[in-house]
Amino acid sequence: MEKQFDALKTNVNQLTIRITEVESKQQEYEQALTFCAEEIADLKQKLSNIDDIRQKLKSLEESQAADNYKVRQLQTDKSMKTLRICGIPKTHNEYLTYMISKLANQLSCAPITKADLETVFRPKNSDQSPSSTIVVRFNSLLKRDEFYNGRKLLGKNNVTVQKLGLSGDNKIYINESLTKATNTLFYKARQCKKDLNYQYVW
């Protein structure tokens, strides 16, 4: 009986040890599950933050695109009212508004006054010296178009700087003022015309 009791006691002790080990393992698993749950919650929060950032970036991109469109529209609006006149040499103490008025008279346009012009200036070259180009921005698109359409008389009436009271026989050219994007587009179109050997590009 004693031997059987000792054997049973040994088995109970071993079973108690196994139960203790299982309980210890269970605690480890529970701790691991708790840690994983916390990690998952943290990842979900990070994913939520990433979604918020994406939404903010998308909103910023849309806002920037809208601002860029407005800037392009303003540039286009200004360019539509602007002309570039080439060939008129710079003189000492020149009065550009008066020069434009005299040129308008040669083009049989309606008289141009200071009130018709937003600005008249010579842009600076890379060496900071005034160029032979005169930039004219009109207050009215109608006035700008009338002046621009009169350029057809430049060659027909042989309008040179002499007719403006200046020395020399420089020819005068009146060109549209294009935005940088439009200039680039026209340049690429001319390149395509050259590369493809086209006669015209419309």
Side-chain angles (χ1 to χ4, degrees):
M1 289 290 293
E2 290 181 0
K3 288 182 179 179
Q4 290 179 351
F5 182 76
D6 289 340
L8 181 61
K9 186 177 179 180
T10 300
N11 288 337
V12 169
N13 288 337
Q14 290 177 347
L15 185 59
T16 301
I17 292 171
R18 294 292 300 276
I19 291 173
T20 302
E21 290 177 350
V22 169
E23 288 177 346
S24 178
K25 289 289 185 183
Q26 183 180 357
Q27 288 180 354
E28 290 179 5
Y29 291 147
E30 287 176 353
Q31 290 175 353
L33 286 172
T34 301
F35 178 79
C36 289
E38 291 174 351
E39 285 289 305
I40 290 171
D42 186 52
L43 288 172
K44 285 182 177 179
Q45 183 61 45
K46 288 179 179 178
L47 286 172
S48 176
N49 291 340
I50 289 173
D51 287 339
D52 289 343
I53 292 171
R54 284 176 177 168
Q55 288 296 327
K56 289 178 181 178
L57 284 174
K58 184 178 179 182
S59 177
L60 285 172
E61 288 172 353
E62 290 174 350
S63 177
Q64 184 179 12
D67 289 343
N68 289 341
Y69 175 77
K70 289 178 182 176
V71 169
R72 286 196 300 271
Q73 281 298 108
L74 286 172
Q75 290 175 338
T76 301
D77 290 344
K78 281 193 171 184
S79 293
M80 287 179 66
K81 294 181 182 179
T82 305
L83 295 174
R84 302 176 74 88
I85 302 171
C86 304
I88 300 177
K90 179 176 172 56
T91 58
H92 186 63
N93 292 330
E94 65 183 359
Y95 184 32
L96 293 178
T97 301
Y98 176 66
M99 192 70 65
I100 299 304
S101 178
K102 289 179 69 175
L103 181 57
N105 185 53
Q106 293 292 325
L107 303 179
S108 299
C109 296
I112 290 181
T113 65
K114 188 176 181 179
D116 296 318
L117 306 176
E118 179 183 327
T119 184
V120 185
F121 64 94
R122 290 184 186 270
K124 299 289 185 180
N125 285 329
S126 57
D127 61 357
Q128 297 303 305
S129 61
S131 69
S132 61
T133 299
I134 299 174
V135 176
V136 186
R137 185 172 299 131
F138 294 82
N139 284 320
S140 162
L141 186 59
L142 187 66
K143 204 73 175 178
R144 175 265 189 204
D145 289 345
E146 182 185 2
F147 187 90
Y148 183 62
N149 291 333
R151 77 192 188 284
K152 300 170 185 177
L153 296 178
L154 286 172
K156 186 176 180 181
N157 294 349
N158 193 28
V159 178
T160 64
V161 295
Q162 285 183 350
K163 292 193 175 182
L164 300 181
L166 303 174
S167 60
D169 57 355
N170 295 4
K171 288 186 177 180
I172 300 172
Y173 301 92
I174 301 175
N175 302 310
E176 292 182 288
S177 181
L178 305 176
T179 63
K180 185 177 180 181
T182 307
N183 263 323
T184 301
L185 178 63
F186 282 8
Y187 170 77
K188 290 181 178 180
R190 289 192 298 272
Q191 284 297 113
C192 285
K193 172 181 176 292
K194 181 179 177 182
D195 295 341
L196 300 175
N197 198 27
Y198 284 180
Q199 186 174 2
Y200 304 106
V201 174
W202 291 312

PDB file of all heavy atoms in Angstrom, residues 39-52:
ATOM      1  N   GLU A  39      -0.278  45.852 -30.596  1.00  0.00           N
ATOM      2  CA  GLU A  39       0.417  46.145 -31.853  1.00  0.00           C
ATOM      3  C   GLU A  39      -0.577  46.372 -32.982  1.00  0.00           C
ATOM      4  O   GLU A  39      -0.429  47.290 -33.793  1.00  0.00           O
ATOM      5  CB  GLU A  39       1.363  44.983 -32.212  1.00  0.00           C
ATOM      6  CG  GLU A  39       2.629  44.923 -31.399  1.00  0.00           C
ATOM      7  CD  GLU A  39       3.577  46.045 -31.767  1.00  0.00           C
ATOM      8  OE1 GLU A  39       3.915  46.164 -32.960  1.00  0.00           O
ATOM      9  OE2 GLU A  39       3.959  46.812 -30.867  1.00  0.00           O
ATOM     10  N   ILE A  40      -1.608  45.534 -33.040  1.00  0.00           N
ATOM     11  CA  ILE A  40      -2.627  45.667 -34.095  1.00  0.00           C
ATOM     12  C   ILE A  40      -3.365  47.002 -33.949  1.00  0.00           C
ATOM     13  O   ILE A  40      -3.616  47.711 -34.933  1.00  0.00           O
ATOM     14  CB  ILE A  40      -3.620  44.484 -34.024  1.00  0.00           C
ATOM     15  CG1 ILE A  40      -2.914  43.198 -34.473  1.00  0.00           C
ATOM     16  CG2 ILE A  40      -4.846  44.755 -34.901  1.00  0.00           C
ATOM     17  CD1 ILE A  40      -3.721  41.940 -34.240  1.00  0.00           C
ATOM     18  N   ALA A  41      -3.693  47.342 -32.694  1.00  0.00           N
ATOM     19  CA  ALA A  41      -4.372  48.623 -32.465  1.00  0.00           C
ATOM     20  C   ALA A  41      -3.484  49.789 -32.880  1.00  0.00           C
ATOM     21  O   ALA A  41      -3.962  50.766 -33.475  1.00  0.00           O
ATOM     22  CB  ALA A  41      -4.752  48.743 -30.980  1.00  0.00           C
ATOM     23  N   ASP A  42      -2.181  49.682 -32.569  1.00  0.00           N
ATOM     24  CA  ASP A  42      -1.237  50.736 -32.951  1.00  0.00           C
ATOM     25  C   ASP A  42      -1.126  50.848 -34.471  1.00  0.00           C
ATOM     26  O   ASP A  42      -1.096  51.952 -35.029  1.00  0.00           O
ATOM     27  CB  ASP A  42       0.133  50.430 -32.334  1.00  0.00           C
ATOM     28  CG  ASP A  42       1.126  51.551 -32.562  1.00  0.00           C
ATOM     29  OD1 ASP A  42       0.810  52.713 -32.246  1.00  0.00           O
ATOM     30  OD2 ASP A  42       2.231  51.275 -33.093  1.00  0.00           O
ATOM     31  N   LEU A  43      -1.072  49.696 -35.142  1.00  0.00           N
ATOM     32  CA  LEU A  43      -0.994  49.695 -36.614  1.00  0.00           C
ATOM     33  C   LEU A  43      -2.259  50.296 -37.226  1.00  0.00           C
ATOM     34  O   LEU A  43      -2.189  51.036 -38.213  1.00  0.00           O
ATOM     35  CB  LEU A  43      -0.781  48.270 -37.128  1.00  0.00           C
ATOM     36  CG  LEU A  43       0.610  47.672 -36.892  1.00  0.00           C
ATOM     37  CD1 LEU A  43       0.634  46.196 -37.271  1.00  0.00           C
ATOM     38  CD2 LEU A  43       1.671  48.429 -37.707  1.00  0.00           C
ATOM     39  N   LYS A  44      -3.404  49.961 -36.652  1.00  0.00           N
ATOM     40  CA  LYS A  44      -4.653  50.533 -37.150  1.00  0.00           C
ATOM     41  C   LYS A  44      -4.647  52.055 -37.019  1.00  0.00           C
ATOM     42  O   LYS A  44      -5.101  52.772 -37.912  1.00  0.00           O
ATOM     43  CB  LYS A  44      -5.835  49.951 -36.383  1.00  0.00           C
ATOM     44  CG  LYS A  44      -6.192  48.529 -36.782  1.00  0.00           C
ATOM     45  CD  LYS A  44      -7.403  48.039 -36.006  1.00  0.00           C
ATOM     46  CE  LYS A  44      -7.815  46.630 -36.444  1.00  0.00           C
ATOM     47  NZ  LYS A  44      -8.976  46.135 -35.686  1.00  0.00           N
ATOM     48  N   GLN A  45      -4.118  52.539 -35.877  1.00  0.00           N
ATOM     49  CA  GLN A  45      -4.036  53.981 -35.665  1.00  0.00           C
ATOM     50  C   GLN A  45      -3.110  54.630 -36.683  1.00  0.00           C
ATOM     51  O   GLN A  45      -3.413  55.698 -37.242  1.00  0.00           O
ATOM     52  CB  GLN A  45      -3.536  54.266 -34.242  1.00  0.00           C
ATOM     53  CG  GLN A  45      -3.470  55.747 -33.888  1.00  0.00           C
ATOM     54  CD  GLN A  45      -4.818  56.423 -33.959  1.00  0.00           C
ATOM     55  OE1 GLN A  45      -5.816  55.888 -33.465  1.00  0.00           O
ATOM     56  NE2 GLN A  45      -4.884  57.598 -34.591  1.00  0.00           N
ATOM     57  N   LYS A  46      -1.973  53.955 -36.935  1.00  0.00           N
ATOM     58  CA  LYS A  46      -1.023  54.482 -37.920  1.00  0.00           C
ATOM     59  C   LYS A  46      -1.641  54.501 -39.313  1.00  0.00           C
ATOM     60  O   LYS A  46      -1.447  55.459 -40.077  1.00  0.00           O
ATOM     61  CB  LYS A  46       0.261  53.655 -37.916  1.00  0.00           C
ATOM     62  CG  LYS A  46       1.123  53.872 -36.677  1.00  0.00           C
ATOM     63  CD  LYS A  46       2.374  53.012 -36.707  1.00  0.00           C
ATOM     64  CE  LYS A  46       3.237  53.266 -35.473  1.00  0.00           C
ATOM     65  NZ  LYS A  46       4.442  52.408 -35.432  1.00  0.00           N
ATOM     66  N   LEU A  47      -2.372  53.427 -39.650  1.00  0.00           N
ATOM     67  CA  LEU A  47      -3.038  53.381 -40.950  1.00  0.00           C
ATOM     68  C   LEU A  47      -4.074  54.497 -41.065  1.00  0.00           C
ATOM     69  O   LEU A  47      -4.226  55.122 -42.124  1.00  0.00           O
ATOM     70  CB  LEU A  47      -3.706  52.019 -41.161  1.00  0.00           C
ATOM     71  CG  LEU A  47      -2.769  50.848 -41.472  1.00  0.00           C
ATOM     72  CD1 LEU A  47      -3.545  49.538 -41.467  1.00  0.00           C
ATOM     73  CD2 LEU A  47      -2.080  51.048 -42.821  1.00  0.00           C
ATOM     74  N   SER A  48      -4.777  54.744 -39.975  1.00  0.00           N
ATOM     75  CA  SER A  48      -5.757  55.827 -39.966  1.00  0.00           C
ATOM     76  C   SER A  48      -5.082  57.173 -40.165  1.00  0.00           C
ATOM     77  O   SER A  48      -5.571  58.027 -40.919  1.00  0.00           O
ATOM     78  CB  SER A  48      -6.519  55.811 -38.639  1.00  0.00           C
ATOM     79  OG  SER A  48      -7.414  56.895 -38.567  1.00  0.00           O
ATOM     80  N   ASN A  49      -3.915  57.339 -39.513  1.00  0.00           N
ATOM     81  CA  ASN A  49      -3.153  58.584 -39.678  1.00  0.00           C
ATOM     82  C   ASN A  49      -2.665  58.737 -41.114  1.00  0.00           C
ATOM     83  O   ASN A  49      -2.667  59.841 -41.671  1.00  0.00           O
ATOM     84  CB  ASN A  49      -1.957  58.610 -38.726  1.00  0.00           C
ATOM     85  CG  ASN A  49      -2.387  58.736 -37.273  1.00  0.00           C
ATOM     86  OD1 ASN A  49      -3.499  59.159 -36.990  1.00  0.00           O
ATOM     87  ND2 ASN A  49      -1.516  58.345 -36.358  1.00  0.00           N
ATOM     88  N   ILE A  50      -2.225  57.610 -41.718  1.00  0.00           N
ATOM     89  CA  ILE A  50      -1.765  57.646 -43.112  1.00  0.00           C
ATOM     90  C   ILE A  50      -2.906  58.052 -44.038  1.00  0.00           C
ATOM     91  O   ILE A  50      -2.723  58.852 -44.968  1.00  0.00           O
ATOM     92  CB  ILE A  50      -1.186  56.271 -43.520  1.00  0.00           C
ATOM     93  CG1 ILE A  50       0.150  56.036 -42.804  1.00  0.00           C
ATOM     94  CG2 ILE A  50      -0.998  56.191 -45.033  1.00  0.00           C
ATOM     95  CD1 ILE A  50       0.718  54.648 -43.006  1.00  0.00           C
ATOM     96  N   ASP A  51      -4.106  57.516 -43.776  1.00  0.00           N
ATOM     97  CA  ASP A  51      -5.271  57.887 -44.592  1.00  0.00           C
ATOM     98  C   ASP A  51      -5.565  59.383 -44.460  1.00  0.00           C
ATOM     99  O   ASP A  51      -5.897  60.054 -45.442  1.00  0.00           O
ATOM    100  CB  ASP A  51      -6.494  57.072 -44.165  1.00  0.00           C
ATOM    101  CG  ASP A  51      -6.404  55.619 -44.626  1.00  0.00           C
ATOM    102  OD1 ASP A  51      -5.634  55.365 -45.578  1.00  0.00           O
ATOM    103  OD2 ASP A  51      -7.068  54.761 -44.030  1.00  0.00           O
ATOM    104  N   ASP A  52      -5.442  59.888 -43.215  1.00  0.00           N
ATOM    105  CA  ASP A  52      -5.662  61.322 -42.993  1.00  0.00           C
ATOM    106  C   ASP A  52      -4.636  62.144 -43.775  1.00  0.00           C
ATOM    107  O   ASP A  52      -4.972  63.162 -44.395  1.00  0.00           O
ATOM    108  CB  ASP A  52      -5.558  61.651 -41.500  1.00  0.00           C
ATOM    109  CG  ASP A  52      -6.745  61.106 -40.716  1.00  0.00           C
ATOM    110  OD1 ASP A  52      -7.765  60.781 -41.352  1.00  0.00           O
ATOM    111  OD2 ASP A  52      -6.636  60.993 -39.482  1.00  0.00           O
TER     112      ASP A  52
END
